[in-house]
Amino acid sequence: MADSNRRLLTAAHTAAGIRQRFVDYFVARGHTHVPSSSLVPQDDPTLLFVNAGMNQFKDVFTGREQRPYSRAVTVQRCVRAGGKHNDLDNVGFTPRHQTLFEMLGNFSFGDYFKREAIEWAWKFLTEDLGLPSERLVVTIYDGQGEDAPPDEEAAELWAAYVPRGRIYRCSAKDNFWQMGDTGPCGPCSEIHIYKGDVAPATAAEPGTGPAYADSDFVELWNLVFMQYEKPGDGTMRPLPKPSIDTGSGLERVAAAVLGAGSNYETDLLSPMVEEAKRLAGDSVPSGVGEAPFRVIADHARATAFLVADGVFPDKGGRNYVLRRIMRRAIRHGADVGLAEPFMHEVCRKVIEVFGDVYPELHERAAVIEEVVRGEEESFRRTLDRGLRRLRKSIDKHESGRPSFDPAVAADLYNTYGFPIDLTAVILREHGLSLDEKAAEAELKAQQGEGGGRGSDLGAGEAVADVYFEVHGEVGDTEFLGYASEEARGVVTAIVVDGASVERAEAGQAVELVLDRTPFYAESGGQVGDTGLAFHTEPSAKGGATVKVEIEDTLKPRAGMHVHRGRVLHGEVRVGTTLTLQVDRARRQAIRRNHSATHLLHHALRAELGEHVVQKGSLVSPERLRFDFSHNRAITVEQRRALEQRVNAMVLSNTASVTKELSMLEAKAEGAIGLFGEKYGERVRVVRLADDSVELCGGTHVERAGDIGLFSIVGESSIAQGVRRIEAVTGEGALAYVQSLAEVTAEASAQLHAGSPQELPERIGRLQAELKQRDREIATLKQKLATGGGTATDEVTEVEGIKLLTRRLSGTDVKTLRSAADALRDRLGSGVVVLAAETDGKATLLVAITKDLQARVHAGKLVGELARHVDGRGGGRPDLAQAGGPKLTGLDEALGAAEPALRALLGAA
């Protein structure tokens, strides 16, 4: 393409335009446009996030899934952060690193192969987008590093477009792709653009080019030629139907086409950069460059997309990666003077820029705002305290030893929500290093129990220093509550008023830590147990010598149970052995509700679809609350079906089964949960009523029939795309049903209905009668308002214009307006001023006939009169209203109407 044409194309195009041109180009060549999948991989626990366009076609390439097409084109949102892609430090500080990016891809499933893939990629870049062919180079596989020959076929095909001297040969490290240790694989060929001052020579210079990570070369497109099958023995076997998998980063292509110096200067990121700068305003300290704003822009984009796809910031797996991304951006925001929460506003810009292409951003805008604002507010509350704690640890660090203790870094995350990589960044600023892998391993060990189902409580909330210190001294609490509701334990720590003490006396509020306990600590949405703790000396007469009422049980540190209560009598000391008794009736009620949440979850997925995912829960003795992903209200029919399905499982009275399994075994049994690092090597799997299988650390009924009865009491929306169901079980459900029966019986009696089934008809008839009476009352009010004159009813002439003033009583604004219209019509030509008390306030209304609107403006006249009632108002030239608190000023306002009108006419 000529330079002049290319300049026109560049000037006219945006990154959004390039995205669409790519799709159109391949659709025109027989490809089916497949929408981007979610960032959360489906049925692939090996991935944190979708990180390539081919992820959603993995089973197609392996032959396990068939699609109705053999060619596909996608624009796939991808995230590369966490796991092996742990290079967050580079994001914002290099031109081309992003956490989230859009991958353009075209795919062939046993259809076309190298010739078409090479031709179409080259022509799209050079002819359709107008990139200069003299600056493009390609790479091919050289036969080194894998049991496969050099890709001479690709070299010959490329020679039709590129001088042979610009075809670089690279080893398997750079130019051989494989899905895993075994399975489909093959050589790949990359297209790079040279960004140096002059075009690359036709003959490659030794030691230069893409294989040497030469910064002048930017990869634009990777073409994977999937032509081999790699079995367990490592040998290569040709695939009967070779396939094509390509990937091209939209950001890099856009930067090349638009002549941008970096990806951040394209319209994919620059709006967020500018929004961050706008929010910072004049508060930016001197010397701050572009990098912090680029960090904020990139991380806000990733955040909005991840939350829209159901990832919420939390302590494990992909949730932990999102938290790290967000908190890195928040820290950089603080560095540029953003003292108030700002991330949700930059995310709002992301929705504005990308919402038309990815409509789920618009659909879940409320969720994005709520989650992002809450996370930032939470982190800002702990940021200063966490920094102080880290500085203390740095000050205590042994001089001469450059590495920092990984356990302390893990504790900083658990206590203050400090992501480990953020701790590493701060440590580097102090000349210290951190083994991040060791810190991650320590974090997994601390969180390894994997007990809960996902709490409503904000994960990562600040933990008081005292718990951090106590846990460091006494360690974990052994939990005995699955098998027993009574046990004996030794007091290992006592906390009173936020301080660790050796003893506590009668009347004091205390928090007790014991070496073992049957009390369940609040987690996973299940509330903590209550009950009694006591000690009796063998020689004592008259009962327990120490008695503590346990009002709640918490887990401020993973593995450590804290019993919160009050000493009723005696003195409790560290080292005292206490008998612990859980409130059995309350525990049983909690078990019923917790098991019902599992059955409800199963029923929701069966009735509404597999898209239903738990977003939070609360399990208390009185009720259960279950939040789940769904974007429509539950219909009456669906609610009935849910109740029927759950109660059918209850009536089956199947025995509950609990197992300790490996993650692979749990998955094989179909258990639902966040399969990942959060749960550790062994997990607890609970099977209820045969159909519900979930990972869970809570307490449950022995048989499904123990739930008794399940009844939904409410369903609502708590955010865009998130619904909430509230329900009751057992005695609570019976009480609810009985209360409904009593209400319907009372209503039936009052409405003289023969049976509750007649109520809807009777209520409908009553509502119709009330509406008819309302209309009659409104008509009568208008007649009264526009009827005969009163002492305050006066028609005068001002400069030849008739002026009617009237004080009305017992009316409302609607009637007042109707009266003004009627009186204005009755005058034919003139001005109407009405005054009335409405809802305890003074109200004035001015109406002007059409022929006088050029001389008198109703809004100006009512504005003059409003000061008599200590108010203000305005409106259209023909009708205007004012209000104020001063009721005694209504008559004054009517009296002032004539001079005010005269003044306006004089001014006109």
Side-chain angles (χ1 to χ4, degrees), residues 82-128:
K84 67 178 181 179
H85 304 292
N86 192 18
D87 57 353
L88 276 179
D89 287 354
N90 291 323
V91 175
F93 292 84
T94 68
R96 295 182 289 274
H97 271 89
Q98 267 85 57
T99 49
L100 180 134
F101 63 96
E102 294 179 84
M103 183 175 281
L104 312 173
N106 59 288
F107 306 89
S108 164
F109 311 117
D111 189 338
Y112 62 84
F113 199 45
K114 294 181 186 179
R115 181 179 299 278
E116 294 87 348
I118 287 172
E119 176 189 351
W120 291 337
W122 181 262
K123 289 184 176 179
F124 178 72
L125 291 178
T126 59
E127 296 180 6
D128 209 69

Side-chain angles (χ1 to χ4, degrees), residues 403-418:
S403 60
F404 191 76
D405 186 354
V408 176
D411 282 334
L412 277 168
Y413 178 72
N414 264 341
T415 306
Y416 296 104
F418 253 60

Side-chain angles (χ1 to χ4, degrees), residues 52-309:
M54 63 80 58
N55 287 165
Q56 66 170 309
F57 303 115
K58 184 175 179 180
D59 288 342
V60 181
F61 283 122
T62 61
R64 286 179 291 184
E65 180 185 352
Q66 300 297 319
R67 297 281 179 101
Y69 46 81
S70 59
R71 300 180 179 188
V73 58
T74 67
V75 181
Q76 174 66 49
R77 55 189 185 271
C78 301
V79 164
R80 290 184 179 174
K84 67 178 181 179
H85 304 292
N86 192 18
D87 57 353
L88 276 179
D89 287 354
N90 291 323
V91 175
F93 292 84
T94 68
R96 295 182 289 274
H97 271 89
Q98 267 85 57
T99 49
L100 180 134
F101 63 96
E102 294 179 84
M103 183 175 281
L104 312 173
N106 59 288
F107 306 89
S108 164
F109 311 117
D111 189 338
Y112 62 84
F113 199 45
K114 294 181 186 179
R115 181 179 299 278
E116 294 87 348
I118 287 172
E119 176 189 351
W120 291 337
W122 181 262
K123 289 184 176 179
F124 178 72
L125 291 178
T126 59
E127 296 180 6
D128 209 69
L129 295 186
L131 287 175
S133 60
E134 67 274 11
R135 282 188 169 269
L136 298 181
V137 305
V138 298
T139 64
I140 64 166
Y141 171 58
D142 66 0
Q144 302 297 312
E146 283 292 343
D147 184 21
D151 194 359
E152 297 299 341
E153 180 186 4
E156 289 303 314
L157 290 169
W158 277 121
Y161 307 102
V162 185
R164 291 184 184 275
R166 296 214 306 270
I167 300 174
Y168 291 79
R169 294 173 180 266
C170 303
S171 68
K173 173 179 172 291
D174 296 304
N175 277 78
F176 198 92
W177 180 91
Q178 47 193 354
M179 190 177 293
D181 293 335
T182 61
C185 59
C188 57
S189 188
E190 298 169 346
I191 305 173
H192 296 251
I193 188 168
Y194 183 72
K195 303 287 284 187
D197 294 334
V198 295
T202 56
E205 299 178 17
T208 66
Y212 297 92
D214 192 327
S215 61
D216 283 336
F217 291 87
V218 178
E219 179 190 339
L220 296 181
W221 207 333
N222 186 14
L223 313 178
V224 175
F225 308 130
M226 211 176 295
Q227 65 187 93
Y228 299 113
E229 174 79 18
K230 188 176 183 180
D233 60 9
T235 59
M236 296 291 178
R237 300 172 186 170
L239 285 171
K241 288 187 176 181
S243 297
I244 291 293
D245 161 25
T246 82
S248 176
L250 176 59
E251 289 79 4
R252 293 187 180 191
V253 172
V257 172
L258 303 175
S262 80
N263 296 356
Y264 293 93
E265 295 171 29
T266 71
D267 51 304
L268 295 166
L269 285 160
S270 62
M272 281 65 75
V273 172
E274 294 306 313
E275 179 68 3
K277 289 181 178 178
R278 183 190 71 79
L279 292 170
D282 299 329
S283 64
V284 182
S286 61
V288 171
E290 289 288 304
F293 298 106
R294 291 177 171 182
V295 170
I296 293 168
D298 171 89
H299 289 6
R301 186 170 70 151
T303 294
F305 274 87
L306 284 167
V307 175
D309 279 345

